[in-house]
Amino acid sequence: MKTLAQYLTRMLLLASALVMLVLLALAGFIEFVGELDDTGEGSYTAAGALLYTLLRLPQVGVEMLPVSALLGGLLGLGALAKGSELVAMRAAGISPRRLAQAVMIGGCLMALGGAIVSEYIAPPLDQFARKYRSAARNRADLSGRENTWVRDGQRIFNVESGNAAPGFGGVYLFELDDSQRLQSVAFASRADLDESGGWVLSNLNETRFAGRDVSATITPSVTRKYSIDAELLGIAALRPGSLSISGLLSYLDYLHANRLDARAYATEFWRRIADTLATAIMPVLAIGFVFGSLRSAGAGSRLLIGVLIGLGYFLASRTLANSGQVFSIDPALVGLAPVVVLGVVVLGVIYKVR
């Protein structure tokens, strides 16, 4: 059984890799053509659009991984079924459950690979691609300034980031009292972080409000302690889809601690978990088809079935995620619902295989 599991896993991985290459080529071509409409804005050229598209491919590949796993399972296992190799395995006494376990090994390996890419490779490349595109279209340098809004308890920061590390540009600081009324407004021309994580504010102009009294002070340099650090500021400026799992968890902790709306980030987190689980079990779904009416069908028919199922899962998961944010449904529920339904379908398919 170990030898057969290795054989099935190898066939599944090869077929899925081929499908992934085709899907990436198609998605990359479509995105590149779409980017050509924006060329000519600033210094954004066709070469820049091509670079942007290539940098985005790992992120696109991670999003397509569940569909690739399903199509790879249909094509790889379909080829084995058409050659009667799976029938020979069944004749040797291997049950559908054991076949499903062997196929799931390949799915788990793909899920693991996708998780690694999603955590360490795709996010920084996607972030750089978007920053490069924005800078090129606006004729700005990649180190151009961006404003980021963050909250730390009763304090609200507007930080001008993107300057030379380890400091930031201008910082506006708004402090509120317990009744959410403005207590003070301050502006520092520059903020740096010292070794202990303290904020060194240069040329701090601060105005305080106490009833009808207003006082203003100017301080050349002052060090203050806040819970906001440089990593959190960098995360706050990014889209949820451009963050790694660890980045999402870090920012969710911050949002919950400050009682801010975390639905978009929580939905993205649970969607990532669901896609990882779906990648592991999608190939198992192919077993029901290759032992059924599609056993003698050609690769085109199996591919069509896989595309329809994969597209249905993709649309269902995205639609539920967006609907959950609109109707304030629990992000874990809308994120995991499609993969739970998929798991039930897979169990039913394996049960029906004789």
Side-chain angles (χ1 to χ4, degrees):
M1 186 61 199
K2 182 179 180 181
T3 302
L4 290 177
Q6 292 176 348
Y7 179 61
L8 288 172
T9 300
R10 184 168 63 252
M11 290 293 294
L12 175 63
L13 293 179
L14 288 175
S16 299
L18 179 61
V19 170
M20 177 62 77
L21 289 175
V22 173
L23 291 179
L24 284 179
L26 180 61
F29 176 75
I30 293 174
E31 182 149 10
F32 174 69
V33 172
E35 286 299 310
L36 290 178
D37 292 336
D38 296 327
T39 57
E41 298 183 12
S43 58
Y44 195 50
T45 63
L50 178 60
L51 176 61
Y52 171 81
T53 301
L54 293 176
L55 291 173
R56 285 266 300 140
L57 286 183
Q59 183 71 25
V60 175
V62 170
E63 296 174 357
M64 289 183 171
L65 195 55
V67 178
S68 299
L70 174 60
L71 295 179
L74 286 171
L75 294 180
L77 297 180
L80 295 179
K82 194 170 184 179
S84 300
E85 293 178 75
L86 289 182
V87 176
M89 294 179 191
R90 290 296 311 280
I94 300 176
S95 66
R97 181 179 61 83
R98 296 183 69 184
L99 281 175
Q101 291 175 348
V103 171
M104 187 172 284
I105 293 175
C108 289
L109 289 176
M110 285 189 286
L112 177 61
I116 293 174
V117 174
S118 179
E119 181 70 18
Y120 300 107
I121 300 176
L125 291 179
D126 184 68
Q127 295 161 23
F128 179 81
R130 295 183 182 279
K131 191 171 184 178
Y132 167 80
R133 180 177 181 267
S134 177
R137 292 180 63 183
N138 295 282
R139 294 186 181 275
D141 189 79
L142 280 176
S143 59
R145 301 179 176 184
E146 297 178 357
N147 283 358
T148 303
W149 289 89
V150 292
R151 181 167 184 167
D152 178 22
Q154 297 300 100
R155 303 182 184 90
I156 299 176
F157 295 80
N158 178 259
V159 182
E160 192 178 71
S161 60
N163 293 271
F168 304 94
V171 177
Y172 284 94
L173 173 60
F174 306 88
E175 290 195 36
L176 309 176
D177 60 19
D178 293 336
S179 301
Q180 303 301 309
R181 291 178 298 186
L182 187 63
Q183 194 171 38
S184 69
V185 178
F187 172 76
S189 60
R190 182 173 175 81
D192 296 275
L193 300 177
D194 60 19
E195 295 180 355
S196 63
W199 286 59
V200 182
L201 303 175
S202 303
N203 301 320
L204 179 65
N205 294 263
E206 188 171 18
T207 302
R208 290 194 165 272
F209 308 96
R212 296 186 177 183
D213 297 328
V214 179
S215 60
T217 58
I218 300 177
T219 308
S221 180
V222 63
T223 301
R224 294 181 178 178
K225 281 285 188 178
Y226 303 120
S227 61
I228 305 298
D229 56 19
E231 180 181 1
L232 182 59
L233 285 172
I235 292 174
L238 299 175
R239 300 166 59 255
S242 297
L243 292 174
S244 62
I245 290 292
S246 59
L248 284 169
L249 287 174
S250 176
Y251 198 55
L252 282 172
D253 289 340
Y254 156 75
L255 292 174
H256 290 147
N258 288 277
R259 293 177 293 180
L260 299 174
D261 187 5
R263 284 176 297 177
Y265 294 87
T267 300
E268 178 65 21
F269 171 77
W270 287 111
R271 186 190 67 78
R272 299 273 190 92
I273 299 299
D275 282 354
T276 301
L277 295 175
T279 301
I281 64 178
M282 275 290 193
V284 183
L285 185 60
I287 292 179
F289 292 100
V290 298
F291 277 116
S293 59
L294 291 180
R295 174 187 167 188
S296 59
S301 300
R302 291 192 294 269
L303 187 61
L304 177 61
I305 294 296
V307 168
L308 293 177
I309 295 175
L311 183 60
Y313 172 82
F314 181 85
L315 293 177
S317 62
R318 270 50 177 185
T319 301
L320 280 175
N322 294 332
S323 300
Q325 295 184 50
V326 173
F327 298 105
S328 300
I329 305 175
D330 185 3
L333 177 62
V334 298
L336 295 178
V339 75
V340 170
V341 173
L342 178 65
V344 173
V345 172
V346 169
L347 290 176
V349 167
I350 297 301
Y351 177 78
K352 290 184 177 180
V353 174
R354 293 291 185 264

